[in-house]
Amino acid sequence: MTKQNLKIYGYESAEFETLLELREVTFSINAEQAELIGEFFLKCARDMTENPDWEHKHYDGAGPVDLIVYKS
């Protein structure tokens, strides 16, 4: 497996004006949420492996924030 730099993008506010490349992201979550997000990332990885046309998936358990995995 080739090591690649992780790229993280986000918006400063809900107005979605300028997509920013972020250096750091912090999740304020509990153990149950961490497990659910971990399962989401694993599902995305499996889907990417099984489907070369897979592009992205939205996590629907993040409340008022958007968590999106996008294939690079």
Side-chain angles (χ1 to χ4, degrees):
M1 183 182 310
T2 305
K3 184 178 178 181
Q4 297 180 358
N5 289 335
L6 177 67
K7 292 191 176 188
I8 303 169
Y9 299 95
Y11 292 101
E12 186 174 351
S13 65
E15 284 139 30
F16 302 106
E17 291 183 17
T18 304
L19 186 63
L20 305 170
E21 186 170 357
L22 306 174
R23 185 185 66 78
E24 179 178 308
V25 100
T26 302
F27 292 96
S28 176
I29 57 177
N30 61 35
E32 180 182 8
Q33 291 166 318
E35 287 183 21
L36 291 170
I37 290 171
E39 291 169 5
F40 170 71
F41 278 110
L42 286 172
K43 170 103 173 72
C44 289
R46 289 184 190 115
D47 290 349
M48 283 182 216
T49 302
E50 294 171 6
N51 180 3
D53 295 327
W54 189 93
E55 183 181 86
H56 75 281
K57 179 135 181 92
H58 295 252
Y59 177 69
D60 59 1
V65 300
D66 293 322
L67 176 59
I68 303 164
V69 171
Y70 188 87
K71 183 178 177 181
S72 62

